[in-house]
Structure formats: structure tokens, C-alpha cells
Amino acid sequence: MTDRPVLLQTIALLPSLERALADTYVVRRLPGPGPERNAFLAERGTEIAGVVTSAACGADAALIGALPHLRVISSFGVGLDRLDLAAAAQRGIPVGYTPDVLNDCVADMAMGLLLSVARRLPEADRYVRAHRWQAGGHSPFPLGRQVSGAKLGLVGLGRIGRTIARRAGGFDMELRYHARRAVEGVAWAHEPRLLDLARWADFLVIITAGGAATRHLVDAAVLDALGAKGFLVNVARGTVVDEAALLDALKRRQIAGAALDVFEDEPHVPAELLALDNVVLAPHIASSTVQTREAMGRRVLDNLSAFFEGRMLPSAAAN
């Protein structure tokens, strides 16, 4: 027997984080979906005091309901759309996550994607590797789009959105943003209508929350408003963009291009999207740096430590 709290780990985490968890807690690994998971929850569910999960995996109402003595959830990541906050709140279970520590890296990634698609950097890399440059002037590399001084529209102005906005200032970009309500204390112009923001912008960067409320917020009408000279960058959630409408807009050159770190059905990316030259694609890596992932791991531990020591969680989701 042990007096150490028992945690349920739902997904593989950083080895350093897993070691730190094992040093302090009794850690049980959740089996994959199916009979083995059902049997595990029936046998061990009453032991579990905390769940350690990730933004990609989450914790749904069924899992929460199968753990009658669950007291806290600590999630590795900033996304909350796969965490059933309502089910947790109904039981009075606090939910910790890892905001702030990844703001800089996600903002860096957004600007990197923006530069890559505007200046056609992946396409230029392929051009050189295929020895087309050495071939002379028969197929000169096409011109890109200047970023400095361009108009940047942000869909969302939370922690990461404001960090992106500060990065854009270094490029002398004019900036406006769309959110449900104006954000107090910022100098950037609020655009109440997303369609109007898209019509104005040269680059439309998506950095709003995922979930049902924002599903397909960027649809065919928004893409049409962005227009043939406009670029879309998504570092939020794939569900915010209607992927079928985006694919159609890219194929018809209705918009100039897109740079995507997220997709509707990850890790599955439509084959037609892979075949296009006017897109830059990344495998959901906006926060994937050694420094940021270590900071996220520390925040997961800090949230758990605070709870079991009777203190407020450093980063608690509003539920």
C-alpha cells in the first residue's frame, strides 16, 4: 500500500515528465479503446485521484464518469476542446493546462509559416534540390510576396494572438483583429465582422480557440473575401477552417496560398492538399521546441503539486 496519489496517464508524454510523475505519484497507464480499457477502468477506476492527459487526447465525459474518486485533471497543452470542462465542473474537478509557456514558440511558428508561404521558401528549396536553378533561365523561380508593410488580420487576440501581433510590429505590418468583443488595453483595431477583416487583410492568421463554437468559422465566404492576393495561416485548430472549402479555394487560386500547422482530421491530410504548390504544411509542431516542451512539462507538474498541497492551480482552465 502507498499514500502516494494514483494518477491515470492517458497518452505517452515527455520521458522527463514521465520520470518526474513516477517519482512522486503512482502512475497507471490507460489502455487503448476496447475491452482491455473497459476492464481496466472497472478494476482500477476507483483508485484514480488524478488524470494526466494532453490537449490532443483530452478527457471526455465517459472517462471522467468512470473515475468516481477523480479529484484533478492536468493537461499537457493549451487546447481545451477535447477536455469536457462541463463534466469536470459538475463534479468540482479542477482542470489544469499549460498556457503562457508556449506563447513565444507558437507566435514564432506563425510568423515562420507566414514568411514561408509568402516568400515561397519550401518551393524554393525544392527548386534548388531539383537542379532547376543550375539549368539557367528556362524556368526562373517565380516572385514571392513582400511581408514587410503588409496588412495582417488576426482571428483571435488572446495570449498568443497578442504575441504574434508584437512580432508583426517588427515587420512594420498594419494590424487588425477579429474577436467576439474588443480587447481592452491594446492599440490594434478591432474588426467586428470577420468578412470585413478578410477583405482588408493580405494575411489572415487563425489563432482562436477550437471547439463547436468556432467550427468552420473560416468558410468559403471568408476565403472568397480574402481573395486572390490573400494568404491564410492556421496555427489554431484544424476545425476552425472548412478544409474542403480551403482546398477548393487553393485549387482554383481563389486565394494566393495557405500555411497550415493544423488539420481537421489529424494526422490525416487530404491527398489533394499534398499535391498543391501554393501551400506550406507542418505536422502540428507550433510548440515543438525543447525549451517549450520542458516548460509545459513543468507546468503539468506544478498544477498537480499545487492541487495535492491544497493550493490553487497555477494554470486552471475556467470551467
Side-chain angles (χ1 to χ4, degrees):
M1 296 292 291
T2 178
D3 57 0
R4 295 193 298 168
V6 180
L7 302 182
L8 179 64
Q9 182 180 332
T10 68
I11 194 170
L13 298 166
L14 291 175
S16 59
L17 176 55
E18 292 191 352
R19 288 192 297 269
L21 289 169
D23 286 343
T24 307
Y25 306 98
V26 175
V27 181
R28 311 288 191 207
R29 293 293 295 267
L30 181 67
E36 186 181 357
R37 173 181 290 191
N38 297 337
F40 171 88
L41 291 172
E43 180 182 355
R44 298 283 194 177
T46 57
E47 300 177 3
I48 305 301
V51 164
V52 181
T53 187
S54 71
C57 182
D60 60 18
L63 179 62
I64 293 169
L67 307 173
H69 298 144
L70 180 63
R71 299 163 58 201
V72 63
I73 298 171
S74 188
S75 179
F76 183 94
V78 71
L80 298 171
D81 46 305
R82 296 193 179 183
L83 289 160
D84 196 321
L85 298 181
Q90 191 173 24
R91 295 255 306 271
I93 299 168
V95 177
Y97 68 136
T98 63
D100 297 319
V101 297
L102 47 65
N103 295 353
D104 284 324
C105 276
V106 177
D108 291 349
M109 184 70 175
M111 294 305 297
L113 287 172
L114 189 155
L115 286 162
S116 292
V117 71
R119 298 302 306 272
R120 313 176 79 136
L121 296 182
E123 190 178 348
D125 179 84
R126 295 191 295 270
Y127 179 88
V128 173
R129 290 176 187 275
H131 304 288
R132 294 172 64 192
W133 190 25
Q134 295 92 323
H138 300 295
S139 55
F141 190 75
L143 299 177
R145 204 281 183 210
Q146 180 174 314
V147 170
S148 297
K151 294 180 288 187
L152 174 63
L154 282 175
V155 183
L157 197 72
R159 299 177 183 90
I160 301 172
R162 289 191 290 271
T163 307
I164 294 171
R166 291 192 291 271
R167 299 283 192 280
F171 288 89
D172 298 319
M173 300 182 83
E174 186 179 353
L175 192 139
R176 297 180 187 178
Y177 71 95
H178 169 76
R180 285 177 293 179
R181 59 186 66 87
V183 178
E184 294 184 5
V186 302
W188 308 296
H190 175 240
E191 183 55 73
R193 298 186 69 245
L194 178 54
L195 281 175
D196 291 338
L197 181 69
R199 290 191 187 97
W200 172 84
D202 299 312
F203 297 92
L204 192 67
V205 176
I206 314 301
I207 189 57
T208 190
T214 58
R215 179 174 176 78
H216 290 184
L217 178 67
V218 176
D219 57 12
V222 173
L223 295 170
D224 184 60
L226 183 58
K229 294 183 179 180
F231 295 85
L232 181 78
V233 178
N234 191 3
V235 288
R237 286 290 181 267
T239 54
V240 179
V241 177
D242 183 337
E243 201 166 82
L246 174 61
L247 180 57
D248 180 65
L250 288 164
K251 288 167 64 177
R252 295 191 293 109
R253 302 284 171 168
Q254 182 184 348
I255 65 172
L260 310 172
D261 186 48
V262 290
F263 305 88
E264 279 207 67
D265 185 25
E266 296 178 3
H268 306 291
V269 180
E272 289 179 284
L273 197 57
L274 297 173
L276 295 174
D277 276 336
N278 55 339
V279 293
V280 176
L281 308 173
H284 202 152
I285 56 170
S287 66
S288 297
T289 67
V290 172
Q291 295 80 3
T292 291
R293 290 299 172 89
E294 288 179 347
M296 291 166 67
R298 288 193 297 270
R299 187 60 57 88
V300 169
L301 293 168
D302 290 345
N303 283 328
L304 289 169
S305 297
F307 176 81
F308 288 112
E309 292 170 7
R311 296 182 285 111
M312 296 291 293
L313 275 61
S315 299
N319 60 0

